[in-house]
Amino acid sequence: MLSREDIEKREIEILSDRACKACESKGRDYYEEPCVFRTDFQRDRDRIIHSKAFRRLMHKTQVFLSPEGDHYRTRLTHTLEVNQVARTIARSLNLNEDLTEAIALGHDLGHTPFGHNGEMVLNSIYPKGFKHNEQSLRVAEVLESTPNRRGMNLTFEVKDGILNHTGSLPAATLEGQIVKISDRIAYINHDIDDAIRSGVITLQDLPKEAIELFGTGHRERINCMVSNVISNSEGKSTISMDSVHARQLTILRNFMFANVYKSAKVKKEEDLLKVEVVIKSLYDYFNKHPEKLPAELKDLVRRDGVNTVVKDYIAGMTDRFAINMYSDLFVPKGWK
């Protein structure tokens, strides 16, 4: 049997000096007996995969609200694509693939229903503001619970990577930095794929210079971006593309925001208003009726306040659960 100690020894012998080794982790908030055959980072990965929050990602919007086709990305398929890109980079740079995978799989656990539009609505009504990366950390630390303890008790390095997968602050580990750039590579490319499939844009619409650099095909573009990250990050203390590729990726991202993410073809005004109505109505209702919250959340009301727990409940909903809840609460039965 290959024991945890054997794996930890292999990490020290094989991985780069810059890699974060499991035996050097800053640890968990609460002590646990080590697993016999898994490192702490492997254990964190498994906890994330088996969590309810991870399963709910399959029914949360990525970009397209209520798409009719079967092949449009969801928040879960996005997460899996980020994981694939990140693991490839980590393996090629001889960094810790288990840590990278745990961060990648957990980075969007706190995402709202209806994608970033749901996030914007919650940010506008929740007094402390809402950011999905902070909510992902709250899911890991508080909301995913066992009968004996609040939270998943993940290691510092995994939680840090989840929190800093977006925003201005870099992750504390190179593995966390890998997930941050992999997230951008994944969503830009798969959102281009979905937008072309839907007819919102065509390949000819994409910025010419960027496509000439990265390639015309989905696989070609990802391979080019991943290859550049690897070649530009080898032996360095940061993970990044070179300046030319980074500039063109930003141009591509700006194009997607202007022509897809904020496009009326993708998100019709009436649909966005419906999302706002659904989330605001649920938020107001449960703030007025906290006794209607799920039993597992009621204990948190005394500790964190009604506003925070209602925010937690709504952020954890899938698109269809939010719609069904709204219908049950506000639509007369005879009208359905």
Side-chain angles (χ1 to χ4, degrees), residues 35-318:
C35 181
V36 174
F37 50 88
R38 292 175 298 168
T39 69
D40 282 349
F41 297 150
Q42 290 173 328
R43 208 174 188 184
D44 284 359
R45 173 204 60 203
D46 295 350
R47 288 182 184 182
I48 290 167
I49 288 176
H50 290 290
S51 68
K52 297 186 296 295
F54 185 79
R55 295 196 293 276
R56 290 196 299 269
L57 294 176
M58 70 183 295
H59 296 299
K60 293 194 178 192
T61 290
Q62 172 63 23
V63 172
F64 290 84
L65 296 170
S66 301
E68 294 182 1
D70 292 333
H71 299 133
Y72 293 100
R73 270 71 172 192
T74 66
R75 190 59 57 179
L76 178 61
T77 55
H78 160 72
T79 295
L80 297 177
E81 292 186 39
V82 172
N83 183 50
Q84 176 270 321
V85 171
R87 287 184 59 183
T88 297
I89 296 172
R91 186 185 302 119
S92 296
L93 293 174
N94 202 23
L95 298 175
N96 196 316
E97 199 171 335
D98 293 326
L99 171 58
T100 304
E101 183 173 32
I103 297 169
L105 293 173
H107 82 280
D108 268 356
L109 290 179
H111 234 298
T112 61
F114 312 114
H116 287 288
N117 297 101
E119 181 176 10
M120 287 188 289
V121 175
L122 268 185
N123 184 54
S124 71
I125 59 178
Y126 176 57
K128 296 180 181 179
F130 183 92
K131 294 181 179 179
H132 76 271
N133 57 317
E134 295 176 354
Q135 188 66 18
S136 294
L137 181 63
R138 181 165 169 83
V139 169
E141 290 188 323
V142 178
L143 300 178
E144 279 287 337
S145 303
T146 67
N148 301 320
R149 184 185 58 237
R150 280 277 172 197
M152 289 189 273
N153 199 29
L154 303 180
T155 57
F156 164 83
E157 292 78 11
V158 172
K159 292 192 297 181
D160 171 82
I162 289 173
L163 178 63
N164 293 306
H165 82 270
T166 187
S168 58
L169 295 178
T173 64
L174 291 181
E175 290 82 359
Q177 293 180 36
I178 286 174
V179 172
K180 186 171 187 175
I181 198 167
S182 298
D183 183 33
R184 180 165 293 194
I185 290 172
Y187 77 69
I188 288 175
N189 281 288
H190 64 51
D191 292 347
I192 288 174
D193 192 41
D194 282 352
I196 290 175
R197 176 181 292 109
S198 70
V200 172
I201 61 172
T202 67
L203 180 62
Q204 289 69 37
D205 294 327
L206 295 170
K208 183 178 179 181
E209 192 174 350
I211 295 307
E212 287 177 349
L213 178 65
F214 295 128
T216 58
H218 179 70
R219 289 182 292 179
E220 186 181 358
R221 288 192 298 271
I222 291 179
N223 184 68
C224 177
M225 293 178 189
V226 169
S227 298
N228 187 258
V229 171
I230 293 168
S231 61
N232 190 62
S233 304
E234 176 65 35
K236 296 181 181 178
S237 58
T238 57
I239 304 296
S240 65
M241 291 180 174
D242 64 33
S243 59
V244 173
H245 287 73
R247 181 167 60 86
Q248 291 302 323
L249 184 63
T250 298
I251 289 172
L252 204 53
R253 181 176 181 269
N254 292 342
F255 170 86
M256 292 298 290
F257 268 93
N259 295 277
V260 178
Y261 303 141
K262 296 182 178 181
S263 170
K265 294 181 181 178
V266 176
K267 296 169 182 176
K268 298 177 182 178
E269 185 175 356
E270 60 266 30
D271 288 336
L272 296 180
L273 290 174
K274 291 174 184 177
V275 168
E276 185 173 357
V277 168
V278 168
I279 291 181
K280 285 186 175 181
S281 298
L282 293 175
Y283 185 83
D284 290 340
Y285 176 84
F286 285 106
N287 266 292
K288 293 175 182 176
H289 303 282
E291 72 279 2
K292 300 292 186 180
L293 288 166
E296 63 268 21
L297 291 177
K298 289 180 181 177
D299 289 342
L300 284 174
V301 172
R302 289 187 290 273
R303 194 190 81 169
D304 298 333
V306 175
N307 273 334
T308 295
V309 178
V310 171
K311 174 265 299 179
D312 292 337
Y313 186 39
I314 294 174
M317 292 180 178
T318 63

